[in-house]
Amino acid sequence: MIFGRRREEDEREDEEEEEVEQVLFQGAANGHPVDLKAHAKLVQAGLLRAKELVSDALARRSEMIRLDPKGKVAVATLFIDGVPYPAAKMPVQAGMAITHMLKLLAGLDIKVRNQPQSGGINAEYSEKKYLVRIDTFPAEGGTERLIVRIEDPKVRLEKPHEIGLSDEIRLKVREHTSQRQGVVLAAGPPMSGTSTTALGLLRSVDAYLYNIYNLADLKGRDLMHITTFARTEGESLVAWIARAKRQECDVMFVDPLRDAETAKIIFDEAEDRSFVSEMTAKDAADAIVRLNAWLGNPQLTAERLKMVVSQKLIRRLCLECRQAYRPNPKLLAKVGLPPETKVLYRVPRPVENEEGEVEEPPHCPKCQNIGYYGRMALFEAIEMTEGMQKVVAAGGDATAIKTQARKEGMPTFHKDGLRAVAEGHTSLEELQRVFTQK
């Protein structure tokens, strides 16, 4: 009886260990009703798998999941603070079941596989609400690539101080937009926080002194003191902007500049109004070079562009386990930190105890021994000063533009990164990782 009772206790413990909290899907973000009974086979094949994948991501505080079909298998990758980690491999049919299940829950058309679709799912995990954004893209063989972004609706990084914009950049934005002329841009690679930076630039404008109209898709965000100016059916972008001008608008926030046609329209219209927008580019200098190519008129770029702000996201050191150390003076000189810097911080490393034995760092429940927790933005800004206008108007390349920016002491990633290291927010190793990655 004793052995039998012990076996029963062991089985109960095993069952308790296997119980993992599962995400609760609570309806499509677009309000589209979801009929699970009508898709019983898909629910049977994909619902549990989808829950397990998203639950694992939430448990590991992942902000994004990527599910890629690769031949006969589908590969899931989790992104934690922007760094990819392998999650799972599965038969491609299982991956398709997850993709179609999440599309269904997001109120999307599961029959459409030959074009991108976007939607969202309201969810709850560990008594906390989330918005699970779903994006699908056509792939080979009738399959689809799935991107899942997990957002906390309560975290709205919109105000300049919330995203880390310096007072210097905020004042420059106010100065340029007060002229009711020209373009202020945020620029950066995909998934680098460019849209958040653009909103930070917009919120730097004094909404009490100037009429700000939003002509962009804010994806459900409602910005205080900024008027949403709706587009009428069939109205061209030029006509839409002209109508906003007749309403005495001072500053317009417009959708990203994605092609030459749109860029030309915005820069033509910026003769007597200020515009705030964003574009994809490696950095601020690359954005200016791309604008020159799109506009075909470097002089116009130099005259109408007022400022480009670019950002890089770096990981923050975990405050619970970061390790202090005294830096070598040669290291300080090499990276450009002040010689009086007494302490820096890094990810915990093994240490030697009094007996000469090497001990591994203790487990950190906050970051799960990653060493980093959360991210912050580094910023650079290129302003169209008189000297910079000459370089840009002459068709200068990215190197020439960066050289002029350094010469004039403009904010750079290098300076902002060293500030973050000196203040203990991140490590030199993290800066190296970010600045050397392709």
Side-chain angles (χ1 to χ4, degrees):
M1 293 298 295
I2 293 175
F3 293 115
R5 187 161 59 247
R6 176 56 60 87
R7 267 199 308 271
E8 291 174 0
E9 290 174 356
D10 290 344
E11 288 173 1
R12 282 200 299 271
E13 288 178 0
D14 290 341
E15 290 174 359
E16 290 174 359
E17 289 178 357
E18 291 175 1
E19 286 184 8
V20 178
E21 184 175 4
Q22 297 258 311
V23 64
L24 298 174
F25 294 127
Q26 299 177 322
N30 62 9
H32 190 284
V34 179
D35 187 354
L36 296 181
K37 290 184 179 180
H39 299 85
K41 289 186 178 180
L42 175 57
V43 171
Q44 184 177 9
L47 182 57
L48 180 58
R49 287 189 172 106
K51 280 191 170 186
E52 289 175 342
L53 181 62
V54 176
S55 298
D56 182 44
L58 286 162
R60 295 169 64 179
R61 62 180 185 84
S62 170
E63 72 272 7
M64 192 181 87
I65 309 165
R66 191 178 67 205
L67 185 59
D68 296 302
K70 296 186 177 181
K72 295 181 179 180
V73 300
V75 180
T77 305
L78 300 186
F79 289 78
I80 303 172
D81 295 332
V83 176
Y85 293 87
K89 286 185 179 181
M90 63 194 79
V92 70
Q93 293 83 1
M96 290 174 63
I98 291 173
T99 299
H100 295 161
M101 189 71 240
L102 291 176
K103 285 174 66 176
L104 178 66
L105 293 170
L108 303 177
D109 190 341
I110 62 174
K111 295 180 181 179
V112 176
R113 304 182 189 178
N114 60 351
Q115 62 187 36
Q117 291 194 74
S118 298
I121 307 169
N122 296 314
E124 182 177 330
Y125 180 80
S126 193
E127 299 183 351
K128 187 175 180 179
K129 300 290 185 181
Y130 292 92
L131 175 60
V132 180
R133 293 195 178 276
I134 306 298
D135 291 283
T136 60
F137 307 89
E140 294 182 359
T143 60
E144 292 175 281
R145 185 181 184 218
L146 172 70
I147 301 291
V148 179
R149 293 181 176 86
I150 301 171
E151 299 178 5
D152 182 347
K154 291 184 178 180
V155 178
R156 307 298 290 270
L157 298 177
E158 296 167 354
K159 297 179 181 179
H161 71 273
E162 292 173 340
I163 66 174
L165 279 176
S166 68
D167 290 342
E168 178 185 2
I169 292 177
R170 292 162 62 185
L171 289 173
K172 288 293 183 181
V173 172
R174 287 197 173 196
E175 176 186 329
H176 289 304
T177 54
S178 68
Q179 299 171 9
R180 285 172 50 108
Q181 187 265 346
V183 180
V184 174
L185 280 177
M191 296 175 58
S192 67
T194 307
S195 295
T196 301
T197 298
L199 285 174
L201 298 177
L202 180 67
R203 295 300 295 270
S204 297
V205 181
D206 193 334
Y208 293 100
L209 292 179
Y210 303 99
N211 292 325
I212 307 173
Y213 279 20
N214 170 51
L215 280 66
D217 179 8
L218 294 180
K219 300 187 183 301
R221 298 188 186 189
D222 184 19
L223 301 180
M224 292 180 60
H225 311 301
I226 295 174
T227 303
T228 297
F229 196 68
R231 191 174 193 170
T232 60
E233 187 176 354
E235 188 174 35
S236 68
L237 179 57
V238 173
W240 192 13
I241 292 173
R243 191 159 54 88
K245 288 183 177 181
R246 290 195 295 270
Q247 296 291 326
E248 299 301 318
C249 171
D250 299 310
V251 181
M252 293 184 223
F253 186 61
V254 295
D255 280 322
L257 308 186
R258 293 193 172 95
D259 51 55
E261 181 182 1
T262 305
K264 288 177 181 176
I265 291 173
I266 297 303
F267 273 73
D268 285 343
E269 297 294 338
E271 182 180 11
D272 58 355
R273 290 296 188 280
S274 288
F275 287 82
V276 178
S277 187
E278 64 177 276
M279 65 180 290
T280 298
K282 289 189 296 185
D283 51 32
D286 181 54
I288 295 172
V289 172
R290 292 187 182 209
L291 282 173
N292 274 347
W294 277 350
L295 299 177
N297 184 350
Q299 186 64 43
L300 180 62
T301 306
E303 290 177 359
R304 299 280 169 85
L305 182 65
K306 297 301 178 183
M307 189 177 191
V308 183
V309 178
S310 187
Q311 72 295 314
K312 285 183 181 291
L313 293 176
I314 62 169
R315 294 180 295 175
R316 290 180 178 270
L317 282 166
C318 175
L319 295 179
E320 297 296 323
C321 67
R322 66 178 183 174
Q323 188 179 76
Y325 69 99
R326 186 177 296 277
N328 186 300
K330 292 183 178 180
L331 173 65
L332 296 177
K334 181 179 179 180
V335 301
L337 282 168
E340 62 270 17
T341 303
K342 301 298 182 184
V343 62
L344 294 177
Y345 293 87
R346 63 190 176 199
V347 170
R349 296 180 180 178
V351 294
E352 188 175 301
N353 61 23
E354 295 179 354
E355 287 75 30
E357 299 172 336
V358 176
E359 294 182 348
E360 292 295 325
H363 175 73
C364 179
K366 182 173 181 178
C367 71
Q368 299 299 315
N369 282 23
I370 291 176
Y372 296 94
Y373 191 93
R375 289 190 287 178
M376 63 180 292
L378 302 180
F379 294 97
E380 69 170 9
I382 294 181
E383 185 185 5
M384 283 297 123
T385 60
E386 185 176 341
M388 186 62 73
Q389 283 183 320
K390 291 179 180 179
V391 173
V392 173
D397 60 12
T399 300
I401 293 170
K402 290 179 180 180
T403 300
Q404 183 66 26
R406 287 193 295 270
K407 179 181 176 181
E408 298 193 35
M410 297 182 188
T412 65
F413 286 137
H414 179 74
K415 289 194 292 186
D416 208 20
L418 290 181
R419 174 195 59 79
V421 169
E423 293 176 357
H425 300 306
T426 194
S427 67
L428 286 171
E429 291 80 6
E430 174 65 1
L431 283 191
Q432 184 179 28
R433 181 191 71 85
V434 170
F435 289 128
T436 57
Q437 67 183 3
K438 294 182 179 180

